[in-house]
Amino acid sequence: MHQNRKDIAVLVGSHRKDSINRRAALALAGLGPESVALDLVEASHLPFYNQDFDADAASAPASYSDFRRRIARADGVLFITPEYNRSYPAVLKNAIDIGTRPYGKNVWSGKPGAVISISLGALGGFGANQQLRQQLANVNMAVLQQPEIYIGNAGALFDGDGKVAVETTRDLLRGFIASFAAWTDRAGTAAAA
Ligand code: FNR
């Protein structure tokens, strides 16, 4: 945490090398207000959650404690997700589950959050976005309600150099990240009070 800066952890639901969601995450880093720092947090290397890991601290994979620490110290969390079979990918569900345990140590609770869904399909990952929002409510995140962002037909919107290729999409994302920065300020202050 930094005094006037908001540190936002960014979780991407795809880890393939040419992922459009990952490209969007990289592009977003250049679109935010100066007060926002986006930090890509990897989740794809996390072993599948198993309740046996909670037996004692030594049982849990080292990657779990590092992941939980990075989420716990973030001022907010931005999820950028593709849609797999009308839902969000298992890599995100696994990360969410890991963050809720051990029991009583839910790192998501009270944290400002936001969701962007990006898809090759026309519906912009609506199903993934809605199901993820439902899950984030369950883990007690303070999720930005509006603006909602569903980006469809996204095959050519983001290039490999961390740039948004289309101006209207760039403007949309710039507005979104500014809204999320303001939300992080408000919701984070409320959670701390
Ligand atoms: C998909 N895709 C997809 N797209 C969509 O709009 N709705 C869907 O339900 C699905 N289902 C789905 C399932 C599985 C298993 C795969 C692999 C893909 C297509 C998806 O939008 C496309 O692969 C994106 O390119 C995935 O995002 P990344 O990896 O480019 O970020």
Side-chain angles (χ1 to χ4, degrees):
M1 252 186 243
H2 207 261
Q3 199 160 24
N4 294 316
R5 195 184 66 196
K6 295 294 170 198
D7 291 316
I8 305 297
V10 181
L11 286 178
V12 178
S14 169
H15 54 282
R16 72 183 184 96
K17 63 178 165 28
D18 291 326
S19 162
I20 47 179
N21 283 269
R22 198 179 182 82
R23 287 181 176 189
L26 297 176
L28 266 175
L31 296 178
E34 272 184 16
S35 58
V36 169
L38 299 181
D39 180 25
L40 212 59
V41 175
E42 290 295 336
S44 58
H45 64 299
L46 297 168
F48 275 127
Y49 174 76
N50 176 336
Q51 218 175 332
D52 290 341
F53 293 150
D54 295 340
D56 55 72
S59 304
S63 56
Y64 277 25
S65 30
D66 182 53
F67 176 77
R68 288 166 176 151
R69 243 192 326 269
R70 290 184 76 178
I71 299 301
R73 72 168 186 237
D75 295 304
V77 183
L78 172 61
F79 293 82
I80 306 182
T81 188
E83 182 170 80
Y84 280 4
N85 298 311
R86 296 285 177 259
S87 186
Y88 57 93
V91 67
L92 289 182
K93 180 61 164 63
N94 190 44
I96 292 167
D97 290 342
I98 291 165
T100 60
R101 287 296 188 270
Y103 186 77
K105 296 197 170 162
N106 173 7
V107 293
W108 310 106
S109 188
K111 204 154 285 278
V115 177
I116 294 174
S117 55
I118 304 177
S119 165
L120 291 180
L123 301 181
F126 179 82
N129 192 313
Q130 289 297 310
Q131 289 195 15
L132 183 52
R133 282 166 174 267
Q134 190 178 10
Q135 183 52 241
L136 300 183
N138 170 59
V139 300
N140 198 34
M141 285 191 86
V143 178
L144 175 71
Q145 299 301 321
Q146 298 291 342
E148 296 165 82
I149 299 269
Y150 311 95
I151 300 180
N153 303 317
L157 295 181
F158 305 95
D159 65 29
D161 308 323
K163 297 256 167 16
V164 187
V166 175
E167 195 177 342
T168 47
T169 307
R170 199 178 313 128
D171 290 346
L172 182 79
L173 288 172
R174 192 178 278 121
F176 179 82
I177 202 75
S179 298
F180 185 42
W183 173 245
T184 300
D185 244 343
R186 275 174 43 211
T189 308

